[in-house]
Amino acid sequence: MKAKLLVALLCYLPWISIAEAANRYIADDVHTYLHAGSSNKYRIIGSINAGEPVVQLDRDAQTEYVQIRDADGRVGWVDGQFMQSNESFRSKLPALETQLEETKLLLSTADERHEQDILDKSTRLQQQEQELTNVSDQLSELRLQHTQLKTENLRLTSLMDDKEHQMRLDWLLNGGIVAGIGLLFGIFLPMIPLRRKNKNGRWMN
């Protein structure tokens, strides 16, 4: 039974080590040494720059030293108080520098884009003003044509009224003349003496 527990424990140990491995960062405000063991009594095998990202491999509960692996693949121990889980400024620096360069590029081209935008808007405004001028000219021309047509319509209406009035006068005048002729003819016709024809076919006085 003890043998089985020992085997199970040995199988579980690698998983414990893997679970403890995690990404950590050296604090930004320190420059610490990398020791060969889990305290400062062990020899120094190197140094770690502030803010450098490392991988935590193990931790000594008594000395609170942490075993790490740095970016160069070195494995050693550092004081746990110099470790932090949040990303350090040193680690963020490349991304921040990239963002800064992008911001500078945007600022450098902002004036050019602004000038181009103003130029485009000015061009559109001039086009709209020209279109408005054309429409206004067309409207003025249509108003002039309307006035001319209205004047011509009034003139033609007046001519038609005058002609109609003249035709009525002509009808009345012609009718009066005809009536007068008929009246005269009716008056003078009975007064004309008729010659009688004699029996021999001659007229007699």
Side-chain angles (χ1 to χ4, degrees):
M1 183 68 178
K2 292 182 179 180
K4 291 182 179 179
L5 291 174
L6 183 59
V7 171
L9 182 59
L10 292 174
C11 293
Y12 186 66
L13 283 176
W15 294 100
I16 295 177
S17 299
I18 294 174
E20 289 181 350
N23 293 330
R24 294 290 185 269
Y25 301 90
I26 302 298
D28 287 312
D29 56 350
V30 298
H31 180 83
T32 186
Y33 292 104
L34 186 65
H35 294 270
S38 59
S39 72
N40 58 1
K41 295 180 181 180
Y42 290 87
R43 66 184 179 87
I44 297 175
I45 59 177
S47 61
I48 302 293
N49 294 325
E52 184 173 339
V54 296
V55 177
Q56 179 177 329
L57 302 176
D58 198 0
R59 184 181 185 88
D60 189 320
Q62 294 181 354
T63 63
E64 295 186 353
Y65 265 65
V66 177
Q67 186 184 34
I68 63 168
R69 181 173 62 246
D70 65 5
D72 296 330
R74 296 181 302 172
V75 176
W77 294 79
V78 296
D79 193 341
Q81 66 177 338
F82 300 144
M83 300 290 295
Q84 63 183 39
S85 58
N86 296 329
E87 187 176 1
S88 65
F89 178 77
R90 179 186 178 89
S91 178
K92 293 179 180 179
L93 185 58
L96 293 175
E97 289 178 344
T98 301
Q99 292 178 3
L100 180 60
E101 292 299 324
E102 292 177 352
T103 302
K104 288 181 178 179
L105 180 60
L106 289 175
L107 289 175
S108 64
T109 58
D111 291 339
E112 182 178 352
R113 294 197 310 272
H114 182 64
E115 290 178 359
Q116 184 63 39
D117 184 56
I118 292 177
L119 180 60
D120 294 340
K121 290 182 179 179
S122 177
T123 302
R124 289 197 297 269
L125 182 61
Q126 290 178 358
Q127 292 175 351
Q128 292 174 354
E129 290 178 349
Q130 183 63 40
E131 292 176 357
L132 182 60
T133 301
N134 295 336
V135 171
S136 179
D137 293 341
Q138 293 176 0
L139 182 60
S140 299
E141 184 177 356
L142 289 175
R143 286 176 178 173
L144 179 60
Q145 292 178 359
H146 175 71
T147 302
Q148 291 176 348
L149 289 174
K150 186 176 181 180
T151 303
E152 183 66 15
N153 185 34
L154 291 175
R155 188 182 69 83
L156 293 175
T157 301
S158 178
L159 289 176
M160 290 180 64
D161 292 340
D162 292 343
K163 189 172 183 179
E164 183 177 358
H165 181 68
Q166 186 63 38
M167 288 177 62
R168 289 178 181 177
L169 290 177
D170 292 342
W171 290 341
L172 290 175
L173 181 60
N174 292 333
I177 293 174
V178 172
I181 293 174
L183 180 60
L184 292 175
F185 186 76
I187 293 174
F188 291 106
L189 183 62
M191 298 175 62
I192 298 175
L194 296 178
R195 292 181 181 181
R196 294 181 180 178
K197 194 176 183 180
N198 58 14
K199 294 181 179 180
N200 295 326
R202 289 191 276 180
W203 289 91
M204 296 183 65
N205 293 330

